[in-house]
Amino acid sequence: MADPSRHNEDDWDPEEDWDGPPPRTLSRTPPHTPTGSLLRRTRVRVLLPLPLGGAFDYAWTPGFHETPDEGTDPPAPGTFVTVPLGRRMVAGCVWDGPAQPGEVPVDDTRLKDIEAILDAPPLPEIGRRFVDWVARYCLADPGAVLRMAMSVPQALMREAPAMGLVLGDDPPEALGLKMTKARRAVLDAAADRVVRPAKALAEAAEAGIGVVQGLAKAGALLPMALPRQVLFPTPDPDRPGAVLSEEQGRAAALIKERVTAGRYAALLLDGVTGSGKTEVYFEAIAEALRQDRQVLVLLPEIALTPEWLDRFEGRFGVRPASWHSEMKPVLRRRTWRAVAEGEARVVVGARSALFLPFGALGLIVVDEEHESAFKQEEGGVLYHGRDMAVARAHLGDIPILLASATPSIETLVNVRAGRYERLHLPNRHGRATLPEIELVDLVATPPAPGRWLAPPVEKALIETVTGGDQALLFLNRRGYAPLTICGACGFRVGCPNCSGWLVDHRLLGRLRCHHCGFEAPRPSICPDCGAADSFRACGPGVERVAEEVAMLLPEARFMVVSGDTVGSPAQAAEIVRSIRAHEVDVVIGTQMIAKGHNFPKLTFVGVVDGDLGLAGGDLRAAERTYQLLSQVGGRAGRGEKPGRVLIQTHAAAAPVFAALKNGDRERFYETEIAARRAAGQPPFRRLAALIVSAPDAERADAIARDLARTAPLTEKDLRILGPAEPAYAVLRGRHRRRFLVNAPRSFPLQECLGDWLGRVRVPSACRVVVDIDPYGFL
């Protein structure tokens, strides 16, 4: 690889930059170099967690390092090291595999030395293969993928042991200490010679911390390392679980067979809402634990984690390790390390948990596998967590279980092709039955002026609450209103950084952009026509629906659940607890509350705007609408009482609503699959997006023209659309253009795209991002 010392740091994208742990100072004159050691230098490839294109060559020189006991053999692949890059030191991973095509080796005399080996478990061989595979598939720099595996730089350094105090051997008199009542109490509390933190010792003695510190300074108490805390105790696989139905038992037995075999197998656990899918795959987890293997469970949203953790603890006696973006840095560091060292046997987390350094992974579970939240649509590497999980299972030769009440079309097509096995749970567990779904035609039965709930929904809501049950009103739109408009001239309040409108958030007293985070107060004077107090809210959000509920049921207790009210797992857990405890009568929520939760007292669900997800040109619009409304409807009637679901729509004749009303899932999927096949869309053909972005429209258009001029138009059966402005032509201050590439499944898409991009020079301020298998088209 090219000499890393010559890399131009001015070309780096600061959003992609990464710093490892603070390394030791590099001595340019090797302090321990024996005579002739330079003749024994070994070339070592090191991949850095930066978007630099490939591994760099460094030298391993015996005796060069500050700690001679590091040995004379070069570090093995997977070892984490610190190396010089330009004018600084960074952490990287010793890499294996062949050099990149066209790579010219650096002369031995110009190689920079590895500075230090970091005290961390090596990245396993399967982890390195996975990094390389994801990079090739997603057309990403391997270093950018490695960055996800090295997401906690501090974990690469062993944490110093926590220190406590223990009673010393010398009596206080020999130390010249004047005894007081408080000192005597502390020494009496320490008489058992158990090592305790200073604060714990002070509390045990009911003395001040200063007394403890004084005794330690005098030598009466001696410092000693505290026993290492086991952060994640091993779950007990043989702890009794829920009593399974006959259907559940058959599914669990088959999954356990696949886990016991220890070979790759992809299984779809297809069960209606409330059928007990979680209890079934808990049995698979138990079997993997008996095999002394690690388990990864992927969940699509942080809001689903707290209730899942409670159920896991009830089954296995302890909580698993969690992994998500809201973790505190210390816990994040310890969890990464616990996974690498094998202490964390079960991990439940978001899609990024897939890149943790598992050394003995034996089972992957993807719950709610159809969820679009598994798609990473921003950042350095764009990937789909479900698809990468299947790849990880295949590379590691381990089983993977996909669970859903409304599977994705991609997964169903794989089942039909024989690539996946399907396990079906057609009935709810116990005596619960699926809710009745009715449509409310807003053309025939509109809400009253200024209202958003149609009369049938109002009536059902009132009957439910006055009857002592709970209701859920679902609207997948945060805030009070999606648009603020001047009633005098029609001026719409937009975001200065994005091609979108600012959302009115009355609870915050602000207008906010949900794409870039820009906020502004609601204007009192129209900047376009100068009219005062002319702005009006247009359309409903969950806050506006809550306002209507307060007018309709002034005595009812209601709660708004959205991304504005749920910011952490702790908040999500408290919300779930309060609903289950019936401290809330009406829940008004977005998709955060639509899936995975079990509220026994909730018997009515009202969907405020069933058409919302059908807008735009998304090829998955009908599929997503069906999945989301099936999931939210599935919250009703999970207890002893039957449930009822009313869906408000302006398009009652649309196939998706007919399927929901009639419970005809199979016909809906058949229609959608046939339409995809006829249109030549995924999963029957492959799709990729090239997204151009630049600080201004002129530069974005220039790059788009260059790409259009060099496009591989002669490739047989390759369809290229664009360049065109996406729905959000400006996003976070950057102007965007998009190409869509449609190719046969057998076509070497990544190779073709890589060759195409190699023909165009992209200036440093501009970007071209490749999205293989895009899910969003904003």
Side-chain angles (χ1 to χ4, degrees):
M1 192 78 178
D3 185 352
S5 64
R6 297 179 60 189
H7 181 75
N8 182 6
E9 296 192 31
D10 294 334
D11 289 341
W12 291 1
D13 179 357
E15 293 182 3
E16 299 294 338
D17 207 353
W18 189 95
D19 285 307
R24 293 168 290 181
T25 303
L26 174 66
S27 173
R28 295 297 178 184
T29 303
H32 307 292
T33 305
T35 303
S37 67
L38 292 179
L39 299 178
R40 300 198 302 273
R41 300 176 90 203
T42 303
R43 185 182 295 263
V44 176
R45 292 169 58 80
V46 177
L47 185 63
L48 304 177
L50 297 167
L52 301 179
F56 284 144
D57 286 345
Y58 286 90
W60 172 262
T61 306
F64 177 82
H65 308 84
E66 292 179 356
T67 52
D69 58 351
E70 285 179 336
T72 59
D73 294 332
T79 305
F80 292 105
V81 296
T82 51
V83 295
L85 180 69
R87 299 183 296 273
R88 61 176 182 155
M89 292 290 174
V90 297
C93 184
V94 176
W95 216 247
D96 40 13
Q100 299 295 317
E103 194 172 300
V104 179
V106 178
D107 186 84
D108 287 353
T109 60
R110 296 180 56 203
L111 290 178
K112 300 293 182 180
D113 278 274
I114 291 173
E115 188 234 356
I117 292 177
L118 297 173
D119 189 9
L123 184 64
E125 187 264 346
I126 180 61
R128 304 194 301 279
R129 287 172 53 205
F130 184 53
V131 166
D132 283 334
W133 191 94
V134 172
R136 288 193 301 271
Y137 186 86
C138 298
L139 275 183
D141 293 318
V145 183
L146 177 65
R147 180 182 179 181
M148 296 190 288
M150 293 175 62
S151 60
V152 192
Q154 298 79 11
L156 301 177
M157 303 292 286
R158 185 174 295 278
E159 188 175 6
M163 299 301 292
L165 295 171
V166 68
L167 186 65
D169 294 329
D170 296 329
E173 297 78 13
L175 299 172
L177 279 171
K178 181 180 179 181
M179 294 304 296
T180 64
K181 182 178 179 180
R183 286 178 172 175
R184 175 53 60 191
V186 170
L187 294 177
D188 288 345
D192 56 6
R193 295 189 179 275
V194 174
V195 184
R196 295 184 179 87
K199 183 178 179 181
L201 186 56
E203 291 174 351
E206 298 182 351
I209 190 69
V211 178
V212 175
Q213 293 171 340
L215 289 169
K217 186 176 181 180
L221 299 173
L222 302 178
M224 184 174 292
L226 289 166
R228 182 178 176 275
Q229 178 186 7
V230 177
L231 192 60
F232 302 110
T234 301
D236 181 3
D238 298 319
R239 183 183 170 95
V243 177
L244 302 183
S245 68
E246 184 178 346
E247 291 173 347
Q248 289 175 311
R250 284 197 299 268
L254 194 148
I255 297 170
K256 288 165 66 175
E257 284 181 16
R258 300 296 180 267
V259 173
T260 302
R263 302 299 302 273
Y264 170 74
L267 304 99
L268 168 64
L269 183 58
D270 180 3
V272 299
T273 55
S275 59
K277 294 182 290 296
T278 304
E279 283 71 23
V280 170
Y281 71 66
F282 275 174
E283 295 308 304
I285 293 174
E287 189 62 31
L289 289 170
R290 295 186 189 103
Q291 308 269 334
D292 198 25
R293 305 301 299 273
Q294 291 174 294
V295 178
L296 170 62
V297 180
L298 296 180
L299 297 179
E301 291 188 14
I302 189 175
L304 299 179
T305 307
E307 186 175 359
W308 191 95
L309 292 175
D310 290 341
R311 295 172 72 177
F312 185 94
E313 185 174 13
R315 169 62 177 86
F316 294 100
V318 298
R319 293 207 160 199
S322 295
W323 187 263
H324 51 79
S325 59
E326 300 298 323
M327 296 172 67
K328 293 181 179 180
V330 172
L331 180 58
R332 194 173 184 84
R333 170 183 180 163
R334 292 174 177 172
T335 302
W336 190 97
R337 191 97 187 184
V339 172
E341 294 175 346
E343 177 187 316
R345 308 304 300 171
V346 180
V347 179
V348 56
R351 57 180 179 257
S352 61
L354 191 59
F355 295 91
L356 287 170
F358 291 97
L361 190 59
L363 172 67
I364 300 175
V365 177
V366 183
D367 206 349
E368 308 289 358
E369 65 85 24
H370 65 277
E371 273 293 327
S372 58
F374 283 122
K375 175 67 178 183
Q376 173 71 35
E377 297 187 290
E378 297 178 352
V381 182
L382 308 186
Y383 67 95
H384 198 297
R386 177 201 63 216
D387 298 344
M388 297 304 102
V390 173
R392 174 64 175 82
H394 192 271
L395 288 170
D397 201 18
I398 61 173
I400 180 169
L401 179 65
L402 311 176
S404 176
T406 53
S408 65
I409 285 178
E410 286 81 1
T411 295
L412 288 176
V413 169
N414 277 322
V415 168
R416 295 183 179 190
R419 290 185 285 268
Y420 296 176
E421 296 180 72
R422 178 175 179 248
L423 310 173
H424 193 209
L425 300 177
N427 301 305
R428 281 192 160 179
H429 186 60
R431 292 181 294 174
T433 59
L434 290 171
E436 176 188 356
I437 297 179
E438 305 169 48
L439 303 181
V440 178
D441 189 341
L442 294 177
V443 177
T445 314
R451 299 283 191 91
W452 305 101
L453 301 181
V457 175
E458 287 186 346
K459 182 174 182 292
L461 178 64
I462 293 171
E463 290 176 348
T464 300
V465 174
T466 56
D469 294 324
Q470 291 174 302
L472 167 62
L473 294 178
F474 172 76
L475 176 61
N476 203 23
R477 185 182 278 148
R478 293 161 52 193
Y480 184 84
L483 176 63
T484 300
I485 190 169
C486 175
C489 70
F491 175 81
R492 302 180 179 191
V493 183
C495 174
N497 306 317
C498 304
S499 302
W501 315 119
L502 295 183
V503 178
D504 187 353
H505 287 258
R506 294 288 172 90
L507 294 178
L508 300 174
R510 310 281 286 177
L511 302 180
R512 172 183 286 179
C513 175
H514 288 172
H515 297 284
C516 70
F518 174 83
E519 291 186 1
R522 182 188 176 104
S524 58
I525 298 175
C526 177
D528 198 49
C529 71
D533 299 323
S534 62
F535 280 106
R536 303 290 182 265
C538 184
V542 285
E543 293 177 14
R544 200 168 192 179
V545 174
E547 185 178 83
E548 189 168 338
V549 169
M551 291 188 297
L552 194 65
L553 292 164
E555 301 299 322
R557 302 163 297 175
F558 66 86
M559 172 185 289
V560 174
V561 181
S562 71
D564 301 312
T565 59
V566 182
S568 69
Q571 289 176 322
E574 175 55 25
I575 287 171
V576 170
R577 185 208 62 78
S578 62
I579 297 173
R580 290 178 66 87
H582 206 164
E583 296 172 5
V584 178
D585 300 310
V586 183
V587 181
I588 305 105
T590 64
Q591 64 179 356
M592 297 194 76
I593 202 69
K595 47 194 173 288
H597 300 294
N598 183 22
F599 304 126
K601 291 287 186 179
L602 200 156
T603 59
F604 171 65
V605 169
V607 178
V608 178
D609 188 352
D611 308 330
L612 186 59
L614 295 175
D618 187 345
L619 67 92
R620 295 181 176 87
E623 179 191 2
R624 287 179 174 177
T625 297
Y626 181 86
Q627 290 166 338
L628 183 57
L629 297 189
S630 294
Q631 292 283 342
V632 70
R635 298 315 102 202
R638 296 170 74 97
E640 295 182 357
K641 293 186 178 180
R644 185 185 182 194
V645 180
L646 294 183
I647 301 175
Q648 297 187 166
T649 173
H650 286 93
V656 63
F657 295 119
L660 287 165
K661 180 178 183 297
N662 299 326
D664 197 349
R665 192 189 84 163
E666 297 309 314
R667 176 176 293 183
F668 171 77
Y669 276 122
E670 285 288 348
T671 303
E672 282 295 299
I673 290 172
R676 296 269 190 94
R677 183 186 287 109
Q681 296 293 342
F684 301 100
R685 286 174 65 94
R686 302 189 63 192
L687 201 63
L690 271 61
I691 303 112
V692 176
S693 68
D696 55 74
E698 291 75 17
R699 278 187 277 186
D701 286 332
I703 298 170
R705 283 194 299 269
D706 288 345
L707 284 167
R709 187 170 52 251
T710 58
L713 300 177
T714 59
E715 293 286 353
K716 184 179 179 181
D717 207 17
L718 188 68
R719 307 170 192 167
I720 300 178
L721 304 177
E725 289 188 357
Y728 281 79
V730 182
L731 192 64
R732 298 183 185 88
R734 296 184 66 83
H735 294 255
R736 306 163 73 234
R737 305 292 182 265
R738 186 196 302 274
F739 292 84
L740 282 177
V741 182
N742 185 300
R745 293 204 60 82
S746 59
F747 185 82
L749 183 59
Q750 283 84 349
E751 180 182 337
C752 178
L753 294 178
D755 180 64
W756 181 12
L757 293 173
R759 303 172 196 165
V760 177
R761 183 183 180 279
V762 180
S764 59
C766 306
R767 300 176 196 153
V768 178
V769 176
V770 179
D771 187 359
I772 303 292
D773 308 322
Y775 260 57
F777 299 91
L778 291 180

